[in-house]
Structures are given as C-alpha cells and as structure tokens.
Amino acid sequence: MTETPIDRREFLGRCTRAGFSVAAAGALGFGFYDSSGPDGLSGAGASVKIPDFSIPDMKGKLCIARGTVQGMDRAATVRAAFEALGGMKAFVKPGERVLLKVNAAFASPPTLGATSHPDLVAAVVRLCLDAGASRVTITDNPINDPASCFALTGIDTAARRVGAEVVVPREALFERFTVAGGRLIRDWPVLYAPLARSDRIIGLAPVKDHHRSGASMTLKNWYGLLGGRRNIFHQDIHTIIQELAMMIRPTVVVLDGTQSMLTNGPTGGSLSDLKPTGTLIVSTDPVAADAVGAELLGRTAADLPYIAKAERVGAGTADYRSLNPKEIQVS
Amino acid sequence: MSIVTARRISQIFFFLLFLWFCIVATLGEQWWQLRGWPVNWLIQLDPLVGLGTLLATGTLYAGLLWGLLTVIVTILLGRFFCGWLCPFGALHQAVGWLANRGRKASMMIAANRYRRGQGVKYALLVFLLAAAAGDLIGRLLRVSIDSPAKAAGIVAVMLVLIAGAARAAKRSVKRWTAGIVMAAIGVAALSLLTDGSRLLAASLQTGLLDPIPLFYRTVNLTLLPLVDGRLISISAASRLYPGVFAMGALFWAAVFLNLAVPRFYCRFVCPLGALFGLLGKNALWRVGQKADGCTACGACDRYCEGGCEPATVLRSPECVLCMNCLAACRHDVMGFHQHASAAGEISVPDISRREFVATLAAGAAAVPLARLAGMTGEAWNPAVIRPPGSLAEGEFLQRCIKCGQCMRICPTNVIHPAGLQAGIEGIWTPVLNFRMGTSGCQQGCIACGNLCPTAAIRPIALDERLGKGTFQSRGPIRTGTAFVDRGRCLPWAMDRPCIVCQENCPVSPKAIFTREEYRPIRLGGDIRLQGITGNRLLIEGPVLPSDQLATGDYFVAIDGRRNIPPARIADIGSSGITLADNPFSGAAEKGDRVTLLVRLQQPYVDPSRCIGCGVCEHECPVKGRRAIRVTAENETRERRHRLLL
Amino acid sequence: MKTTAHKKPGKIETRLSMAFMAILLIAGAGVFMRQFRINPAVVALRPESHQQALPSDPDQSAVVDTTGSKLAPFSPPERFGPDTLYEKINGRADLYLSSGFVSLSTQRFSMDNAAGNWVEVFIYDMATPENAFSVFSMQRREGARADGTVPNAYRTENALFMAHEKFYLEIIGTDASDALQQATGQLARAFVQTHGGATVASAPGADMFPASGLQAESLQLVTANAFGYEQLDRIYTAEYLIDGTRLTAFVSDRQTAAAAAALAAQYRQTLVSYGAASADAPHPFEGAAVIRFFDTYEIIFSRGKYLAGIHEAGSLEAAGSLAGQLAGHLERLGE
C-alpha cells in the first residue's frame, strides 16, 4: 500500500481537527462541570434594587388642606396644598421623570370613590409638567382587568388629556424583588420597569375603609406595585403594608379625603358608603398622611396596627402633629 | 482472538452489565440490591444526556462527565459506542441476526444498503438539541434594552452582521454559519420587538428517543414488573405503572422493526447514533478498503450492521465499527486504517443545510409553543406532584431524561411516569400517585434524588428532607398538601366513624387532627326509655344493629336532658342498652325519647405541618377516589405554589 | 453467527482484542469496587442515620438504662402528657386518662442496630400502684401467660406487660423471635432493678382472696364505677371456678367497718331500686344479702372494713359456698 502526499496531508488535517474537537469537548465538559448539582432554591438570584425616591431636605412636610365639604374642587385644593409646601418645584426638578402611583384597583366609576379621582390625577400631572418634568407616567397593577380599570375609572382619559403616559402592567414589566430585612416580599414579582424609569414617585390614594387592614390609604396603595398571587399576603396584611413602606420611600404622597369611603371598603359600590370629608393631605411622610386619614374615617392611628408597624421601620411618624402641619383652608 | 469476537464479548459484557444494573436497582444492602452499584454508569457514559443537560442548564452534573470519555474516544475512532457498548444496539443486533438466519446473501445485502431515511436521525438529533437549547440562546442574546442608544447600537450591530452574513452566503462559504447567524439575528430582532421572555424556552426531550434512557425506562417499567415474582423477587411488592403501554409499544416496535431492516432503530431513529456520526467525522482510524484487490463480491455489505455500504462509497457516519466487514472479506481488502476507504468515503452526515436549519428552527420553536399551555406557570397542574427534592417545574423539564430510575428505586412504588398531566413536555416524567403503591412517600427515604442521573430530583440529604440540623429553618421538604374531600369522607359525609388518615399521618406533631361531633343516627323509629337498671337502659323501639353500636363510637342521649353529656354504649343486649357509664340514673323517666348518637372525629389538615407524603391518601378507606387527596399546593419546589406565608 | 471468512486473525488484531478484553476487565473490576461505596439512599435506611438526626441532648437519657447490654436506644425518648396522649395511643387514651394517668414515656430499642427489629417500651406513670395495677389488670390480653422472671407481669407472643409500683409498662417487640423476646425480659428486669427492685412488687389486693378455686392471673382492680355503679370504687375482683361454675368475687378495702357496712347496704338498695328483688333462697350466712337480678344472683356482705360479695352468679349454690369461704378468709384477715 502506498501513501500519497494528499493522503498524508488529509490525515494531518484530520488529526488537527480531531485534536481541536477533543480539546473543545474537554473544555466544555470541565468548564461547565458541576459536581454538586442545583441547590433547589429557584430564582434566588440577584434581586433588583428600588431606589429611595424621597428628597432629604423635604423630610416631614405635611399640609392638610380643607375645602368646602360639599363639592370641593380637587384641582384647586391640591394646587394650594403643594403651594403651601413650597410648590411642586420643591419636589420635581426640571427634566425629571415622575411616576404617579394611582389607585386604579377596581373597574368602577370615579363617583364611587373606590379609585383615584381623574380630576386629581390630571391636576397632579399638570403640576408636575409645569414644574418641568420631562415625562409623567401613571401606573397601577389593579385587581380587575387592568385596561378596563384605567378606562372605567376615567384615569386613562384624564391622563391622555393632560399628556401623561399610562403604563398598563404586563408580565415583562415585573421583576423579582426582595425587601432587605423583609419576611414576606422575598423574591416576589414587583412592577419594576416603571419604577426603574423614574426619578420621582408620587402616591395618589383615596381615603377608604378596608375590610382586612382597617383602612386603605397611601401606604396600602403600594400594594398595587406587587404582582404574582399577592392575595396570599392577606393572611398577614399589616406586615405586608409594613414591608411595602420599607420597599417604597416616595417623593410625596397625596391622600384624597374629599370624600371618604366609610363602609364596605375597599370596593364600596354605593354612594351611601361615601361621606364628604372635604380634606386633602399632601405629605412627604406617608405614615403621617395615613394618621390624618384615619381621623377622617373616624378612627385613630392606634386603630390601624400597620401604622405603628410602618413607624417602627422608619417610614414616618404616626404623631403627625409633631411635624407642624400646615393647615390651610381653600374656599 | 479476532476483533469480531472481542466485539461480541464486549457487547455481551455491557448487555449483562445493563441488565444487572436494572435488577439491582432496589433499595437494600445485599449484594443483589443497590448497595453502591453504579447503576447510572451507562446513562452517564451516554454523552447525549450530558450534552442535552449542558445545553438546557449550562452545567454538566457530576457523573455526566463520563460522557466526555465517550465523546473523546468517538472523535478519535468513530461510533464504537453503537457497535461495542450500547446494550440497546446489542439487542437490535441479536434480533436482526435471528431475523436474517437462513436468508440469502442477496436479500441481506439488499437489507443493508444505505437508505436516504438514515438521515432522519440527524434531523431528530438537531430537533431535540434545539429544543433543549432555548435558554442558552436566550442567555447569549440577553441584553437589556432600556435606552434608545442601546437599541440603536444593537440595530447597528445587527445590520453589520446581516451584511456580513449576506456576503458570506453569496460566496457560499460557511453556509451553515451564515444560516445560524441569520437565525440568531431573526431571534434578536424578535426579542427587540417583543418581551422576548416567551420566544425562547428550553425543554430536554432527548430522553424520549435516547437509547440508553429508553432502554432503562422500558426494562424498569414494562419488563421487570412482568417477570418479578416467585422465583426472583426483585422488588418488595409487585409493581404497577399505569400508562406505560405507549412506552412498551415504542420499545417493541423498535425491536420488531429489526425484522424488516437490521438495526432499524440505530440506522434511522437513534439520536445518540446521530451525535456519534457527527462527532466521528474526523476519526483518525476508520474502516475502509485498501487501494486494490476488491472483487466487488459484496460479502462485506452482507453483514454490515450500520448500513454504511463498505463495498462501494463508504458512509463513515453510519459505520458502527462492528468490524464484520473485516472478517467477511476473503481478499483482505477491508481494514481499519488511517486513510479513507480507497473506494471512496462520505464522512459528512446525510443532512442538507435546508433540513438542518428547518429542524433547528422547528426544535427551537416547538418548546415556546408547548409552553403556551402555561403548565409551568399559571396553568400548573396541581395533580402533578413531583418526588421530594424535585426542582421547580421549568428547571425540572430542563433536566429530566425520563429514564425511570426514580420509579424503579422507589420502595413504595408511588413514583409513576406521567401521561399528559404534566403537559406534552412532561410525558413519562416522574409524578407521585398515592392511589398506587404500598404506602405513601416515605419520610425517611431519599432514594429517588440519589438515583437521579441529572439532578432533576436533587440528591437531598435526610436532614434536608426532614428539615433537621442545618435545614431547621427551611423546614421539611413538602411535596404538596392533603385536602379532605368532605363530600366523600366517611365521618364528614356519611356519619361513619373513621380516623384512618389521622392515625396514619407520619409527621410529628400530626398534620391531621380531628374535631369531635355527635350526630343522631338513622333508625326505623323512635326509641323510648322503659327503665334503668345500673348501667342498662331498658328500651322499646326498633331492633338495633348491636354489632355496629357496641364499637365504642356510639352514644346515647335522652331528649330534654341537654345538660347531660352523651353516654357511651358498651353493649346492646336483649334487655336493652348497656352503657359504659350511666349518667342518667335518676335523671330520666320512663317514656323519655332516647336518641342514639354517633361520635364522629372529623379530620382537618394543618397546612403548616402537612408535607404531602400521601400516606393518608394511600390509607383512606374510600378506595376509588380517595376522600383525602394530596395536590401540589404548598410544595417546597415552587415558591409560587405556596399556600401560607 | 457465520460472518467470518475462516481466516486466522492477525497478530495486531489479536493484541488489540486482548487489550480490549483487559479494558473490560478493568471496567468490571471498577464496577465491583464501586459497589462497596454504599449509596446515600441506602445509608439513609440504616437505623443509625435516623439516630444521627436526633438531638444529642444529654438530658434525654434513655427511659430504661441499657448500658452493659446488647440493646441500645434507637429512637429518642418521647414523652406524652394527658393532653398529648392521644397522639401516641389514640383510642385507648380514655382508659388511662380516667385512671389517674400522669405521663407516658416511650422509646425504641434495638439489638445490634438490626434494621426492622426493635422493641418499643411504653412506660405509663399512673401516680399510684393501685392505678397502675388497675390499668394492667383491666387490659389483660387473651392468651397471656405469666412471666416467671418479673412479678406482676405476663407475656403474649411478642410482648411483655407489667405493673411495677406506680408504673404500667408495655414492652412490645416487632416480632415474636426469641432474641427480641429475651430483650423484652431484659428491659423489664432492668426497669425493675432501677425502680426499687423485685421485692416491692406484689399485686395489691392479692391477699384479700382465698386461694382455693382462684383462677390464676384473674385479679383485677377497678378503680371507679365498678359494675357500672357510681358508688363502687376501688373494687378488686377475682375469678373463681367452683364446682365447674365460673364466679366473680369482689372485695373492697374501706376506711372503717361502718363505711363498709354502709356501702354494702347502699349497693343493695341501688340494685333493688333498679328492679332487683331479694331472693327467696336461704341466706348463706348471717348479714349476707342475696339478690336476684334478672336471672343472676348477687351476694353482698361486709366483714370488718371489707365490702365483699359475689357478682352476677349463675348458680346460687356455688355462689353461696364461695361467699362463705370469702367471708371466712376476710374474718381471719381482719384479726
């Protein structure tokens, strides 16, 4: 048998390629070798971070604006309240992106008071844009179908009118998040994308009775940032509100007590559940805001265990009078 | 010794080793039980298992490194595994030999000719590996697009790539590379336009056709249970596996197709053989003809196991190194050389670029399609209870090769192959079925995870299973939660005393507790008190079922004597009812209406204690559809399924 | 299989084949060696794996001291109080709870760690020897035979039951093998040794019954509610066989002679109020009441501070003779 040079060259080529193949296989095999196997703690990877949106200089600011009990003008009242705290410019700097976390939890009309009132939403958006905000985004992860919630509450129309963007939650906008030192919010889906794209966050909540937690105001409002099967948290509602207070440090919150839902909360459903209370609170301290709101419901902060719990983790103070609140009257 | 004899000895050795591994896979320390026998060794040597899990998970789990040995030898020598080692191949070869006995040479040569269909196995391999690679592609492409600048950058890179790929395609150089790049660009573009999270998903389905898991599974689940019995008792109790018919049918179809074409499975179907065919492309030594001396007698084709046509242009990816052609050649033309066959050789697997790309795309697209069923997310099936230590469903499906080792080793026979309840991807994956078997899932047992070759079920320690020692804070591993079906439960629905589930609950403190309730029993008429003597109540009324009432669960109350608690019946005699203790002496009068009560201990489940072991479900006396059943709620492996905070 | 062309394999071929056979040998040897490294799944089944999982709390000493014997504890000691007793013994809890139950300690012991074979010891603390003897005697199993080595004990096929001081013990083996049954005896003796020794043990109340006709191991102590009558507490009963008739004699040691006489009268009254009648038959001796209750006879009397009698006798004649014998025995006892 004779071996031609072509044969030899071909064989050497093959040797090289086989050598590379062996080396590649070995590198892959040993490179990805895992002697211990998975640890079974699924999704325990690095959690996203939620920034602190509060402004250090503005700590403990609180304004209680009272208007006519019947037919209070929300837009005028909220403007006056912000004015009393130094104007929206003190909260939103030109070019900043603002997220309004409204309460759009239910597909019910604004008259029933279960959701943030579109007039108020529009007014706050205008204030932000006037202060130079580059973009105002509105979001919530409601309980009923999101699209119909935003539409029926009138928030969608109002937002469009004044030039704000409504972000309807969908799966891709959620990220798994763990509250440092938290027990419940661990590796839990949170409506993260709008948070990540914003410099300031303003919470907008109506004053409502709540069947489980006693009341639903500015702190409970952050519940709408949670995804997944969050109703499991109803087993320990006060702790989840406490952890929400740890999760979100807002720039400012607006608590709308123009009318308060005294019974059958948080859904209401009847005008008889509502009582005109003619009050609107703007505060950089959500705990203090809720403490004021509790009185509108005819309760005290002590009646709502979550307020004390939120206070304990440094989210604010329940003794709102210690903040020297500005009380103004808007006719 | 001739090389063919050596090959036969090797095949017999590995076939017997395989059978031995199947037989000893039963818990125990006798030499014929599990002990330390490396029963997964053949699975670990199978590089398709390693490659599949590597693509799906990005890791190569422990023993699967053995596959590297096979890969290296295959790169150097070709498909030795098929001809020398594979027990499934040995079976096919033996059946094919039986089928060919007495056939004419021309018939045998015709049966062994190369067929275009032999390319199908490459398509299957590409399809299965593409299905497993979804996550890997996703990881490679994963770029978070959160600013217009980044998006513009990505578009620019893509344009460059498209231009480059187009040029490459034009010059017909590296066509495959171009195709892959184009596909990647397509996926990336789709990712840019959509969330991307649903476009790619990985599912390991190689085990469906991979011969080693297939053979293990078939022997474990469909053959051993048939022969297990009086003479050789392999498992403690005879085994049942509902739904293995299709599994057995696939096996027997593969076996009987040897009658048509020898080694039918190896030539047309086997994705592992296809992988070896690809790997052996550059083999240093190969079977082939010498330069001259061939008389074209065709003797080599007659006994060719791979159907690679050594007599003419040899299809080297089909050659299984059976070496029969060497022995059959009368002219000493056939040999094992460094050079290619003198009569010509095709060393590239018979799959066109078009077929390759089509099957690649189909495989990558099939899994996201299957995932639309939502079985790994919202539409999860609570009836799918995975063995303790199983990974979360998505990761589980990236590892499980459906080999059935967990089902074989399970001492109580509660692990069963799934039908379609875990979705199309979950077919033949392990699920717990507490209606079957000898008991529920045993608390002190960690066998399935320690047998699982791919860690789809993790090899947990006993402490982790029980939530002891360093695992104290995590608590025991829960596979689900038991729920009482109050419409079927004897004490809840039928006024019959029963606390079997509570008694059998193995966790301490018990997860099942009972609350007592007294309910009047149905009788043919009123019972009236006639008199009281000691512990006896003399009564008038319908005949009482004495056997039933004297069991200690039945009590007597007298109407209008509400402050007196019911008294237990000790005996029913002709003279009346004997009580264990008579509180009615002097407190009841003749003519009072007597009510017979049954004391029911109604079971409740404490979800914080229940581990979902299924012992209660197994023992429940309502044998058809059990009155207490475990579903996967609150299972440890999926945090999203938890029931409690 | 005839695939060869009948030619002699070449030298290289033979060498290669031999080399390959060597590889197979090595593989086989490797597999064989590997099987000595026991799989964790199998190790988990060994008793010591479960032992290891126990808390190594020094306070948790074994319920029976087995140092120096082949027996070793193989589960941690467990303790149950009145609230948790049902967790361990379920339906039988009522009997103990109504008889002064204080606590139950249990533990499993095995010999040489043989998996699957163990002895479980149940130690019921019943507060008094009487209570302990009562639950012991009231649950006496069918087919029991006395154990010669420890007093107040009997054996069944796979278990040993015993009353010792204020304790009632059940020592139950997983099977009836000799080894395990020796172990039950060993545990019983060890317990007796560490709890006052064998001398203190005697069945309370045994001396109150005359020996003639007495059925072995038939002594029972009913602590409350004997025969279903509330006022009858602390009643010892024993079975007799007199002239082929089975009889139940009962004796109760009361505080004073007056109390005993009063209780006898009270019991008679109660029976009569429930519909029993004084029998026409002659009284067997002075002070004894004979009562006919349906088709059985009840003899009631008191001797000194003892209340005594024959319960539900089928034959008045035999009952009378036994009552006489019993009365004589109690008189002598009172002196």
Side-chain angles (χ1 to χ4, degrees), chain A residues 16-311:
Chain A
T16 320
R17 287 195 297 274
F20 275 123
S21 304
V22 169
L28 276 176
F30 285 102
F32 291 99
Y33 180 66
D34 169 22
S35 62
S36 55
D39 62 4
L41 303 170
S42 69
S47 146
V48 291
K49 293 258 182 306
I50 295 178
D52 184 343
F53 295 99
S54 65
I55 300 170
D57 299 345
M58 298 296 287
K59 276 217 161 26
K61 301 275 187 195
L62 174 63
C63 175
I64 304 172
R66 295 204 172 80
T68 47
V69 170
Q70 292 299 334
M72 186 173 94
D73 179 357
R74 288 185 170 87
T77 315
V78 75
R79 205 174 307 125
F82 269 103
E83 216 50 63
L85 296 178
M88 187 57 97
K89 283 196 161 55
F91 301 97
V92 175
K93 303 278 176 287
E96 285 185 334
R97 299 161 299 172
V98 181
L99 177 68
L100 289 194
K101 164 63 184 76
V102 299
N103 183 335
F106 305 101
S108 70
T111 45
L112 291 181
T115 51
S116 292
H117 199 280
D119 293 353
L120 181 65
V121 175
V124 175
V125 171
R126 275 211 193 91
L127 287 174
C128 294
L129 291 175
D130 290 349
S134 65
R135 190 177 70 200
V136 181
T137 312
I138 295 172
T139 199
D140 190 17
N141 182 25
I143 291 157
N144 301 145
D145 168 59
S148 24
C149 282
F150 282 107
L152 287 179
T153 53
I155 294 173
D156 194 43
T157 322
R160 235 189 280 249
R161 204 175 56 230
V162 294
E165 179 199 3
V166 172
V167 172
V168 178
R170 57 180 201 277
E171 205 181 328
L173 302 182
F174 288 86
E175 292 284 348
R176 297 198 160 257
F177 176 75
T178 299
V179 168
R183 181 167 61 86
L184 304 183
I185 305 178
R186 298 196 67 80
D187 192 29
W188 195 268
V190 165
L191 186 50
Y192 177 72
L195 291 171
R197 288 181 218 147
S198 301
D199 306 306
R200 298 288 164 218
I201 178 166
I202 302 178
L204 239 64
V207 176
K208 293 199 291 177
D209 164 59
H210 192 276
H211 179 68
R212 285 291 296 166
S213 59
S216 169
M217 294 183 284
T218 65
L219 286 168
K220 172 72 172 56
N221 188 32
W222 307 127
Y223 197 75
L225 292 174
L226 297 176
R229 293 190 316 118
R230 59 186 175 184
N231 47 14
I232 193 174
F233 295 130
H234 273 130
Q235 293 171 24
D236 193 354
I237 192 84
H238 297 293
T239 307
I240 189 67
I241 297 176
Q242 178 188 36
E243 293 194 3
L244 286 169
M246 295 157 77
M247 180 173 97
I248 299 287
R249 304 281 188 192
T251 311
V252 63
V253 294
V254 179
L255 180 60
D256 180 9
T258 308
Q259 49 187 4
S260 299
M261 184 186 287
L262 297 188
T263 49
N264 292 318
T267 47
S270 163
L271 287 174
S272 64
D273 292 324
L274 303 176
K275 178 190 160 197
T277 41
T279 310
L280 192 137
I281 300 121
V282 175
S283 174
T284 55
D285 179 337
V287 182
D290 278 16
V292 180
E295 293 179 3
L296 297 180
L297 289 171
R299 296 166 206 174
T300 65
D303 293 335
L304 302 172
Y306 75 81
I307 289 188
K309 283 179 153 247
E311 189 175 28

Side-chain angles (χ1 to χ4, degrees), chain B residues 333-557:
Chain B
V333 174
M334 298 304 298
F336 197 51
H337 314 288
Q338 293 179 344
H339 61 79
S341 179
E345 181 185 281
I346 298 174
S347 64
V348 183
D350 194 359
I351 179 170
S352 70
R353 183 169 54 125
R354 205 175 277 228
E355 288 159 354
F356 176 83
V357 173
T359 46
L360 188 77
V367 182
L369 183 65
R371 289 286 157 94
L372 282 182
M375 307 283 289
T376 56
E378 289 290 292
W380 63 284
N381 182 357
V384 174
I385 306 158
R386 298 289 188 194
S390 294
L391 299 178
E393 190 68 7
E395 295 163 65
F396 186 87
L397 292 173
Q398 290 174 359
R399 285 181 183 265
C400 179
I401 53 164
K402 314 160 198 285
C403 62
Q405 291 288 66
C406 51
M407 308 171 200
R408 171 79 182 93
I409 198 71
C410 178
T412 49
N413 188 203
V414 289
I415 310 184
H416 290 251
L420 287 173
Q421 66 263 48
I424 189 92
E425 300 167 70
I427 191 164
W428 298 336
T429 54
V431 290
L432 300 184
N433 178 350
F434 299 123
R435 243 195 95 191
M436 315 289 300
T438 53
S439 179
C441 178
Q442 301 300 290
Q443 253 192 316
C445 172
I446 49 169
C448 47
N450 277 289
L451 259 267
C452 181
T454 61
I457 309 170
R458 292 182 300 120
I460 50 174
L462 204 51
D463 273 4
E464 181 172 2
R465 169 104 208 241
L466 299 171
K468 288 183 171 167
T470 50
F471 298 93
Q472 191 92 43
S473 58
R474 284 204 226 164
I477 288 185
R478 302 177 304 272
T479 49
T481 304
F483 289 81
V484 178
D485 185 341
R486 293 189 181 177
R488 301 179 69 83
C489 175
L490 295 177
W492 275 108
M494 303 182 185
D495 287 358
R496 288 291 185 281
C498 172
I499 49 164
V500 170
C501 54
Q502 191 264 358
E503 286 176 309
N504 281 286
C505 179
V507 300
S508 178
K510 283 183 189 291
I512 301 178
F513 60 96
T514 60
R515 293 198 172 111
E516 276 187 11
E517 190 178 309
Y518 291 88
R519 286 194 199 149
I521 62 171
R522 280 155 49 98
L523 290 167
D526 276 2
I527 305 174
R528 298 278 167 191
L529 185 66
Q530 291 297 299
I532 298 180
T533 62
N535 275 2
R536 275 183 214 146
L537 302 182
L538 305 177
I539 52 156
E540 183 186 72
V543 177
L544 301 177
S546 54
D547 290 351
Q548 181 193 348
L549 295 181
T551 49
D553 291 308
Y554 291 85
F555 290 72
V556 168

